[in-house]
Amino acid sequence: SAALGTPITVLLGQATSDPGHPGPRFAPEVLAQGANRIERGQAFFQAAAKQAEKFGVSFNWQLVTVPDSTSESHLMPPAALPYLLETD
């Protein structure tokens, strides 16, 4: 439960919605989480939020989607930088 209360930013590339994108996309366990990387990232975030609610603990994660970016894109590091440098 401590991890759910830790400030964490889940950064997703908006353009990772291609189900043909390379990766373990055909394994049944993977497909059960979503048809593509962005759906799986959203499912991960929602599952964490549900666990926090279930255990009655604070949920301090945030979900950020980077427009026009895949998870390997050159756009991801600049988008992540402000979250990495937060001092709160």
Side-chain angles (χ1 to χ4, degrees):
S1 65
L4 297 170
T6 301
I8 293 176
T9 300
V10 177
L11 200 66
L12 302 176
Q14 182 185 33
T16 57
S17 60
D18 177 9
H21 193 276
R25 63 189 180 279
F26 297 118
E29 300 83 5
V30 174
L31 291 174
Q33 298 171 39
N36 52 55
R37 288 182 179 195
I38 196 161
E39 285 184 13
R40 290 191 289 274
Q42 292 166 338
F44 171 72
F45 185 85
Q46 292 299 328
K50 286 180 184 176
Q51 288 300 308
E53 185 177 340
K54 175 181 174 182
F55 293 114
V57 297
S58 62
F59 184 62
N60 292 320
W61 294 17
Q62 62 180 331
L63 182 64
V64 177
T65 303
V66 180
D68 304 319
S69 179
T70 65
S71 56
E72 297 90 10
S73 172
H74 67 284
L75 300 173
M76 293 298 276
L81 194 56
Y83 302 101
L84 294 170
L85 298 177
E86 281 183 353
T87 59
D88 304 292

